Amino acid sequence: MDSFMQCAIDEARTGATEGGIPIGSVIVHEGRIIGRGHNRRVQQGSAILHGEMDAFENAGRQPASVYANSVLYTTLSPCPMCTGAILLYGIPKVIIGENQTFQGEEDLLRSRGVDVEVLQDATCIALMKTFIDNNPALWHEDIGEDA
């Protein structure tokens, strides 16, 4: 497995141990992680701290040229909010752990020229399936749906 996807999985597991939703993300620039994060909506009482958003927040302010030469790894297909951030900051490539439990805005990313790769990683799938089975109401809240 790619070491950067493993870091995103590690972030997802951290989120789960904190009582949150097991979604993790890392942003990689020139072979180095510049931002890492996990879904912290529950932990922080936040409306927006999805894994990708947390990774952007932890990357801090970066010149556009940094993001334009970065890859975002995420354990789950990005929702519309996270897709917007990916497009806003010009991330050219997104590597997704899985999209079986949730299909995000991959088509929008592709339509805007983003290279999208979906791994269908068994660990990512199992993390989300277990979480959704055990926490359906929280999951629906996270994706903006009524349970």
Side-chain angles (χ1 to χ4, degrees):
M1 166 182 297
D2 182 301
S3 64
F4 297 124
M5 181 55 70
Q6 184 60 57
C7 289
I9 291 170
D10 293 344
E11 286 291 327
R13 287 184 171 135
T14 297
T17 62
E18 294 173 352
I21 299 164
I23 303 168
S25 182
V26 296
I27 301 170
V28 177
H29 177 255
E30 296 180 352
R32 180 178 70 81
I33 294 174
I34 61 168
R36 60 188 321 138
H38 53 274
N39 187 304
R40 295 189 305 138
R41 288 185 65 252
V42 173
Q43 301 91 311
Q44 298 294 317
S46 172
I48 62 168
L49 276 180
H50 283 189
E52 299 90 337
M53 301 300 278
D54 194 38
F56 276 114
E57 180 70 13
N58 291 323
R61 293 177 59 200
Q62 299 290 333
S65 61
V66 169
Y67 287 125
N69 290 294
S70 294
V71 177
L72 184 140
Y73 289 75
T74 181
T75 58
L76 185 66
S77 185
C79 76
M81 176 178 65
C82 297
T83 294
I86 291 164
L87 294 174
L88 176 67
Y89 290 108
I91 300 286
K93 183 170 185 169
V94 177
I95 300 177
I96 299 168
E98 67 104 351
N99 65 5
Q100 291 182 12
T101 61
F102 177 78
Q103 175 72 51
E105 298 296 327
E106 297 166 28
D107 290 341
L108 176 57
L109 289 170
R110 288 183 182 104
S111 78
R112 298 284 296 274
V114 177
D115 180 10
V116 176
E117 182 179 340
V118 182
L119 303 178
Q120 301 303 8
D121 178 80
T123 301
C124 294
I125 295 167
L127 278 168
M128 285 311 300
K129 281 188 176 183
T130 300
F131 177 81
I132 293 168
D133 288 347
N134 293 333
N135 304 279
L138 185 56
W139 169 243
H140 286 285
E141 175 191 320
D142 196 61
I143 59 173
E145 296 179 353
D146 288 325

